[in-house]
Amino acid sequence: MATRVLRVNPRRPEPWVIREAARVIREGGTVAFPTETVYGLGADALNPEAVGKIFWAKRRPADNPLIVHVDDVAWLGRLAERVPGEALRLAERFWPGPLTLVLRKSGEVPDITTAGLETVAVRMPRHPVALALIRESGRPIAAPSANLAGRPSPTTAQHVAEDLMGRIDLILDGGPTEIGVESTVIDLTSHPPQILRPGGVSLEELREVLGEVELHPAALGKAEERRPKSPGMKYRHYAPRAELIVVEGDPERVPVKIEEIARGYRALGRRVGILATDENLGRYRSGKAVSMGSRRDPETIARNIFGVLRELDREGVDIIIAEGIPEEGIGLAVMNRLRKASGFNIIRA
Ligand code: AMP
Ligand code: MG
């Protein structure tokens, strides 16, 4: 199939572009579009055949549910069986924005959208293109990240094209995304509420609104769950083609350890890439080092993380060694992505 690409102004989306994309959605097609987190691959969430095209295009396992994107809190009442007060408080504080709420689903949501689960995940994005597209389509849009299953998530339209050209109807190119990691997923059907995936809204911010909030063990990305609560937890995610090692621990010892590992691999004739922070970039001699951003600015690291993984893949390195960063604020989401991308190949310095 032919995939069309249309440029769109990320702040003031051209009405004709949005009308065209909304027509594709209403007719049951697939559209990749920018959100404030990463690019999403959208289809009409209430049309099972359209949602099937998302699973096909991404080669996504059928047991991994999709997030339903809305442009109005009122949709919660139609998509969820019951809307608890916590959901309204969170929506009031964080919507539109990078927070996804998991609630018991209503009969209106097709089984394929939730991969057969009794719950539905809902979010209102704040990107003007995403909001305009949902509004113009007049229906909720199911949209997982617009990458092939298992690959690093797309933060530019070029990343989307790399993975999905010829597999979807339309790509809206609105430039690079702002946050760079996906939304936080919080399960409001468990008590206390549980974070299934850390993301753009931090644990600290959620505790300000809810008081008690639990972190699902898999949300730390420290070990593979035996009985995953969110089916997405059990697959290797975000992974570059190269083997990835994450080195964590004492910030003074991490660069020393990385240089030591890099030297070892280079002696074996392997091409080594290093994911460094600005502060340590100059300390690496034994590999192609690229910076993710400053250790003092985890927001920038979040914005860059998926792009630098793809960049080192393009460089054709065999192995990537990454510096761990502190798990504060959005740093928790970054470490969750890095650990999963490494397949839990973690070394302590
Ligand atoms: P993606 O944004 O592409 O990474 O995919 C959506 C994420 O939300 C995946 O990790 C899903 O497993 C998770 N998710 C979607 N719906 C549900 C649900 N009903 N319960 C738990 N997790 C969900
Ligand atoms: Mg994804």
Side-chain angles (χ1 to χ4, degrees), residues 7-203:
R7 294 280 289 276
V8 63
N9 184 313
R11 285 195 197 83
R12 278 170 290 102
E14 296 79 354
W16 75 268
V17 176
I18 297 300
R19 272 198 302 274
E20 178 55 16
R23 186 186 61 79
V24 175
I25 295 285
R26 278 196 305 269
E27 289 177 0
T30 46
V31 178
F33 59 93
T35 78
E36 71 276 25
T37 58
V38 303
Y39 273 72
L41 176 60
D44 179 351
L46 304 182
N47 174 347
E49 203 183 313
V51 171
K53 292 178 185 172
I54 294 178
F55 284 92
W56 175 83
K58 282 179 60 73
R59 303 200 176 101
R60 185 176 178 99
D63 65 353
N64 195 357
L66 309 180
I67 294 172
V68 177
H69 293 72
V70 298
D71 66 340
D72 195 309
V73 185
W75 272 107
L76 275 179
R78 277 182 65 182
L79 301 172
E81 185 188 82
R82 210 176 65 78
V83 183
E86 286 151 341
L88 295 175
R89 269 158 48 220
L90 289 173
E92 165 81 13
R93 168 82 156 77
F94 297 109
W95 280 8
L99 181 68
T100 296
L101 308 178
V102 173
L103 301 166
R104 296 198 69 80
K105 87 180 204 37
S106 75
E108 221 173 315
V109 185
D111 285 337
I112 185 172
T113 303
T114 64
L117 294 180
E118 287 306 310
T119 53
V120 61
V122 187
R123 153 166 129 87
M124 191 199 301
R126 69 164 177 246
H127 195 291
V129 171
L131 280 175
L133 177 60
I134 301 163
R135 188 149 306 161
E136 182 73 21
S137 307
R139 53 205 75 186
I141 295 183
S145 50
N147 52 333
L148 283 173
R151 299 270 301 138
S153 298
T155 52
T156 65
Q158 289 68 40
H159 297 160
V160 177
E162 254 170 50
D163 282 16
L164 298 179
M165 206 52 154
R167 302 182 66 78
I168 61 179
D169 293 305
L170 179 61
I171 299 174
L172 296 185
D173 180 355
T177 59
E178 167 202 342
I179 297 176
V181 292
E182 296 88 338
S183 61
T184 301
V185 178
I186 187 164
D187 180 2
L188 296 179
T189 70
S190 58
H191 304 279
Q194 201 175 38
I195 293 181
L196 304 181
R197 176 177 77 182
V201 170
S202 70
L203 173 63

Side-chain angles (χ1 to χ4, degrees), residues 185 187 190 192-198 203 207 213-230 232-234 248 327 332-333 335-337 339-340 344 346:
V185 178
D187 180 2
S190 58
Q194 201 175 38
I195 293 181
L196 304 181
R197 176 177 77 182
L203 173 63
R207 285 194 170 140
V213 178
E214 263 177 13
L215 253 187
H216 192 282
L220 286 167
K222 276 198 167 144
E224 209 66 326
E225 266 293 286
R226 256 174 307 149
R227 298 194 67 239
K229 182 141 198 185
S230 170
M233 287 171 178
K234 71 174 181 249
E248 301 181 25
E327 286 174 282
L332 181 66
M335 288 312 294
N336 164 277
R337 306 304 187 276
R339 288 170 179 151
K340 288 190 163 197
F344 307 97
I346 299 161

Side-chain angles (χ1 to χ4, degrees), residues 236 240-248 253-268 270-277 280-281 284-292 295 305 308-309 312-313 317-325 335 338-339 341-342 345-349:
R236 183 161 181 221
R241 287 180 237 285
E243 187 185 334
L244 174 64
I245 299 173
V246 183
V247 180
E248 301 181 25
R253 281 163 43 191
V254 164
V256 179
K257 185 77 188 169
I258 289 180
E259 181 59 21
E260 180 190 314
I261 300 169
R263 220 180 301 126
Y265 276 104
R266 204 160 70 166
L268 295 172
R270 311 276 293 277
R271 282 165 303 177
V272 180
I274 295 168
L275 282 187
T277 51
N280 295 326
L281 192 62
Y284 300 113
R285 299 274 173 278
S286 304
K288 157 103 192 154
V290 300
S291 177
M292 308 180 279
R295 299 184 81 79
I305 187 71
V308 288
L309 285 171
L312 283 175
D313 262 349
V317 301
D318 304 304
I319 181 141
I320 299 171
I321 315 171
E323 284 181 29
I325 66 163
M335 288 312 294
L338 270 179
R339 288 170 179 151
S342 77
N345 199 353
I346 299 161
I347 291 178
R348 292 206 69 84

